[in-house]
Amino acid sequence: MRVLHRFFLPSLLLLTTTFAIAQQNSSDIDSKVDALLKQMTLEEKAGQLTQLAGKTPESLQAIREGKVGSLLGVLGADNANEAQRAAVEHSRLKIPLILGFDVIHGYRTVFPVPIASTGSFDMPLLEQAERVAAKEATASGVKWVFAPMLDIARDPRWGRIVEGIGEDPYLGSRVAAAKVRGFQGKSIADPDSVVACAKHYVAYGAAEGGRDYNTVDISEQLLREIYLPPFKGAVDAGIGTFMSSFQDLNGIPGVANHHTLTDILRDEWKFNGFVVSDWGAVHELLAHGFATDDADAAAKSIKAGVDMDMVDNAFEHIPELVRSGKLPESVVDEAVRRVLRVKFEAGLFEHPYADPKREKTDILTPENLQVARKLAQESMVLLQNKSEVLPLAKTKTVAVIGPLADDKASQLGPWAGNGQAIDAVSPLEGIVGKIGKEHVLYAKGVGIPSFEGGLGAGVASPAPPSATGVKGIANTNKPSSIDDAVAAANKADVVVLFLGELAGMTGEASSRASLDFPGDQLKLANAVLATKKPVVLVVESGRPLDIRWATYHTQAILQAWFPGVQAGNAIANILFGDASPSGRLAISWPRTLGEIPIYYNHRATGRPSSPDRWHTGYLDLPNTALFPFGFGLTYSKFSYSHLAVKTPTIAPDGSLEVTADVENTGSREATEVVQLYVHDRVGLTSRPVRELKGFERVTLRPGERKTVDFSVKANDLGSYDPQMHWVVNSGTYDVWVAPDSASGVAGTFEVK
Ligand code: BGC
């Protein structure tokens, strides 16, 4: 192996005309920003860098005094306009506010949770969904969304794995770009576009033990190769803002990390927008043991590269810091420039107000719901389908059983924007709508304990092992209707069992130390399985749960995640074959807790996994995921053949061209997510055993075959050397065209 090429990532090719126009606009905006900046007092500058929560009499007064640049969580055009009027009509300099909100997977039309929709691998549809979200949010006066959430995570204990993009940096950066395009549209100045915010920068998902907000200690190489690429993808797509993360990275808290916020984000990537801190994170520097008081915290954050302080008002210390010589005014000016530039670019000076009419026409429309349903259908992952029990015939009598079958709130997931449970179609409603109530028997069976009351609540006394040997969690609700469930199952042709987690068991501050099904759900499952009726398990959860029992005892497993407002219709369409499953896993599915972290793109070891004892792995478990990253079944079968490397030898400035034939060998039309993986055999650091470098969704009729082409720039095959230079190694690479990260047809090529 020899290093062939060494250069920094990556070079963007811009069309010269677009570039000229952008430059002209940006120099216009720069002069407007400078003119405004000259008129500002230090207090007004600090005000532009301050975000408060909610529209209250106090926040309105502070806005009028020029002490606020942004509010978060103000919903509804009238509310937004009232707050905006305080700034635009009653503050001295009339600088508009930028109003922000968390629109993580939809505003009112709630889409599937991001870990699910990432698995659709459908970039145009993700873009379309964020267009819908932007349209709805702006109709409600929101101009800035705290999304996309781009945290890679390898640990399903971490509750926020549900909000993110799974485990893969390439997929993550593609999703980032699609979402930024969707949110920001053609221009952030358009009335139906929002400014997007890439969060949480950076490595928040690597929290030790999966405990939210916990410390992160990872190498610079891991940071650059795994955690940074989705954020780089967002910058390349032109994102307007970033949010720094709560946690410390190698000892430096996210808001005070000059290396990530300035050296990388500004100097290497040339990011031109502004950075907001996460909720209260500047003040939390005190608890981190990184600042003595709020003034010190403010100075450390703004010097590191944070431009706006979210809610803790620590930046009110800026004037005194400047006057006492502890903070150069030039640093403050630069932060204010960045905020004002985004406000100008977003057209807020020309059009500060929301149009209240749009609230009636643009929100929760049939077209928006259609997008939500399609994305939900494409996000579910069919994990098992023994003897092709699915799709079900519409003439069957179906027992719909389980605590999530009619739980509308949980369908929306943990961070549902302005979503309302009443809008959600529950699975039961969807199934009844599909086959008629005369074909449906319903029993909830058991409830799910909510864990409310703090960490560990409800788990103090583990239940005795159930018949499957899998432990449950003591249930505070009396499981009064398991008998009803058994009776329903006995009368039905097939059982569809809805088990999982409540939405509130995932998301922020919702880490779990177990991957079990909480409460008495397994007791219910065992009772239903004892009827010997075919069982289709539908899992609704924000993380992979331990489903080993189900792989033995149920006929089919559909991982539905939290599918959003159209949950029931989407699930019914899949179950009864009106839609075909095509979703894939965006994370490796562990067999059990002890396997965490498990991810497909792990480095090669000196003793690769093997049945022989003296190799990496466990004595008591296979060294593989239960289901690998990229896995998902369809209602058909696909064969892969004829992998052809069109470019057996490529130069560092060339491209790899690969084709393979994919054929639908089953009896139904279906969509296959065809994936391209590579492996650099010898590098300057030990390379991952596989890395995703491309994918394509291919829909084929029975018997139809397609030659799928992939093209990858040699530069994108590179990696970081120990000195953190991007290098493209010469030598032999493996390549696979594959249905998932653990199989496929293989070939090799050389980089010379
Ligand atoms: C979360 C962010 C969110 C912010 C504002 C924080 O607690 O970590 O993801 O954007 O609150 O709601």
Side-chain angles (χ1 to χ4, degrees), residues 72 102 146 160 199-200 243 246 278-279 310 415 508:
L72 82 79
D102 289 281
F146 304 131
R160 300 196 84 169
K199 71 184 189 184
H200 307 83
M243 185 186 293
F246 286 121
D278 202 349
W279 183 288
M310 184 185 281
W415 207 314
E508 186 174 354

Short mmCIF file of all heavy atoms in Angstrom, two decimals, residues 72 102 146 160 199-200 243 246 278-279 310 415 508, ligand 1:
data_model
loop_
_atom_site.label_atom_id
_atom_site.label_comp_id
_atom_site.label_asym_id
_atom_site.label_seq_id
_atom_site.Cartn_x
_atom_site.Cartn_y
_atom_site.Cartn_z
N LEU A 72 -38.10 30.77 20.70
CA LEU A 72 -38.41 29.41 20.26
C LEU A 72 -39.76 29.00 20.84
O LEU A 72 -40.16 29.47 21.91
CB LEU A 72 -37.30 28.43 20.62
CG LEU A 72 -37.15 27.79 22.00
CD1 LEU A 72 -38.10 26.65 22.20
CD2 LEU A 72 -35.74 27.27 22.13
N ASP A 102 -38.81 22.93 17.07
CA ASP A 102 -38.34 21.58 16.73
C ASP A 102 -39.31 20.90 15.77
O ASP A 102 -40.40 20.49 16.18
CB ASP A 102 -38.20 20.74 18.00
CG ASP A 102 -37.03 21.21 18.83
OD1 ASP A 102 -35.89 20.87 18.49
OD2 ASP A 102 -37.27 21.96 19.81
N PHE A 146 -35.23 23.29 14.16
CA PHE A 146 -34.06 22.67 14.79
C PHE A 146 -33.94 21.24 14.27
O PHE A 146 -34.11 20.25 14.99
CB PHE A 146 -34.18 22.71 16.31
CG PHE A 146 -34.37 24.10 16.84
CD1 PHE A 146 -35.37 24.38 17.75
CD2 PHE A 146 -33.57 25.15 16.41
CE1 PHE A 146 -35.57 25.66 18.24
CE2 PHE A 146 -33.75 26.44 16.88
CZ PHE A 146 -34.76 26.69 17.80
N ARG A 160 -32.10 8.93 22.10
CA ARG A 160 -32.21 9.81 20.93
C ARG A 160 -31.79 9.14 19.63
O ARG A 160 -31.79 9.77 18.58
CB ARG A 160 -31.42 11.10 21.17
CG ARG A 160 -31.94 11.85 22.37
CD ARG A 160 -31.48 13.29 22.46
NE ARG A 160 -32.33 14.16 21.68
CZ ARG A 160 -32.29 15.50 21.74
NH1 ARG A 160 -31.43 16.09 22.57
NH2 ARG A 160 -33.08 16.23 21.01
N LYS A 199 -27.99 19.46 13.87
CA LYS A 199 -27.70 19.25 15.29
C LYS A 199 -27.46 17.77 15.55
O LYS A 199 -27.85 16.94 14.72
CB LYS A 199 -28.86 19.78 16.14
CG LYS A 199 -30.14 18.93 16.07
CD LYS A 199 -31.25 19.57 16.86
CE LYS A 199 -32.43 18.63 16.96
NZ LYS A 199 -33.59 19.20 17.62
N HIS A 200 -26.85 17.41 16.64
CA HIS A 200 -26.25 18.24 17.68
C HIS A 200 -24.76 18.10 17.47
O HIS A 200 -24.23 16.99 17.62
CB HIS A 200 -26.64 17.76 19.07
CG HIS A 200 -28.13 17.63 19.24
ND1 HIS A 200 -28.85 16.53 18.83
CD2 HIS A 200 -29.04 18.48 19.76
CE1 HIS A 200 -30.15 16.71 19.10
NE2 HIS A 200 -30.29 17.87 19.67
N MET A 243 -26.50 23.62 15.51
CA MET A 243 -26.68 23.66 16.96
C MET A 243 -25.57 22.84 17.59
O MET A 243 -25.32 21.69 17.19
CB MET A 243 -28.03 23.05 17.35
CG MET A 243 -28.35 23.16 18.85
SD MET A 243 -29.87 22.27 19.30
CE MET A 243 -31.09 23.22 18.45
N PHE A 246 -24.70 19.20 23.76
CA PHE A 246 -24.58 19.35 25.21
C PHE A 246 -23.27 18.79 25.76
O PHE A 246 -22.65 19.35 26.64
CB PHE A 246 -25.69 18.54 25.90
CG PHE A 246 -27.08 19.09 25.83
CD1 PHE A 246 -28.11 18.36 25.26
CD2 PHE A 246 -27.37 20.33 26.37
CE1 PHE A 246 -29.40 18.85 25.24
CE2 PHE A 246 -28.67 20.83 26.35
CZ PHE A 246 -29.69 20.08 25.77
N ASP A 278 -27.32 24.48 22.42
CA ASP A 278 -28.51 23.72 22.79
C ASP A 278 -29.05 24.28 24.12
O ASP A 278 -28.37 25.01 24.84
CB ASP A 278 -28.21 22.21 22.88
CG ASP A 278 -29.48 21.38 22.74
OD1 ASP A 278 -30.60 21.94 22.78
OD2 ASP A 278 -29.37 20.14 22.58
N TRP A 279 -30.27 23.90 24.40
CA TRP A 279 -31.05 24.45 25.52
C TRP A 279 -30.26 24.49 26.85
O TRP A 279 -29.98 23.44 27.43
CB TRP A 279 -32.30 23.59 25.68
CG TRP A 279 -33.26 24.04 26.73
CD1 TRP A 279 -33.11 23.95 28.08
CD2 TRP A 279 -34.54 24.62 26.50
NE1 TRP A 279 -34.21 24.44 28.71
CE2 TRP A 279 -35.12 24.87 27.77
CE3 TRP A 279 -35.28 24.97 25.36
CZ2 TRP A 279 -36.38 25.44 27.92
CZ3 TRP A 279 -36.54 25.53 25.53
CH2 TRP A 279 -37.07 25.76 26.80
N MET A 310 -29.12 29.72 23.50
CA MET A 310 -30.50 29.28 23.63
C MET A 310 -30.94 29.30 25.09
O MET A 310 -30.42 28.54 25.91
CB MET A 310 -30.66 27.86 23.06
CG MET A 310 -32.09 27.33 23.07
SD MET A 310 -32.25 25.61 22.51
CE MET A 310 -32.16 25.79 20.75
N TRP A 415 -40.96 13.06 19.30
CA TRP A 415 -40.76 14.51 19.10
C TRP A 415 -41.59 14.93 17.90
O TRP A 415 -41.10 15.08 16.79
CB TRP A 415 -39.28 14.86 18.91
CG TRP A 415 -39.06 16.27 19.36
CD1 TRP A 415 -39.85 17.35 19.05
CD2 TRP A 415 -38.06 16.77 20.24
NE1 TRP A 415 -39.41 18.48 19.69
CE2 TRP A 415 -38.31 18.15 20.42
CE3 TRP A 415 -36.99 16.18 20.90
CZ2 TRP A 415 -37.50 18.96 21.22
CZ3 TRP A 415 -36.19 16.99 21.68
CH2 TRP A 415 -36.44 18.36 21.85
N GLU A 508 -35.28 12.35 23.85
CA GLU A 508 -34.35 12.99 24.78
C GLU A 508 -34.59 12.53 26.21
O GLU A 508 -35.72 12.37 26.65
CB GLU A 508 -34.49 14.52 24.71
CG GLU A 508 -33.43 15.21 25.54
CD GLU A 508 -33.41 16.72 25.40
OE1 GLU A 508 -34.14 17.26 24.56
OE2 GLU A 508 -32.63 17.35 26.14
C1 BGC B 1 -32.72 19.44 22.57
C2 BGC B 1 -32.64 20.00 21.17
C3 BGC B 1 -33.79 20.92 20.89
C4 BGC B 1 -33.82 21.99 21.95
C5 BGC B 1 -34.93 23.01 21.73
C6 BGC B 1 -32.98 20.50 23.61
O1 BGC B 1 -33.28 19.95 24.84
O2 BGC B 1 -31.52 18.76 22.87
O3 BGC B 1 -32.61 18.94 20.25
O4 BGC B 1 -33.67 21.47 19.61
O5 BGC B 1 -34.01 21.37 23.21
O6 BGC B 1 -36.17 22.48 21.92
#
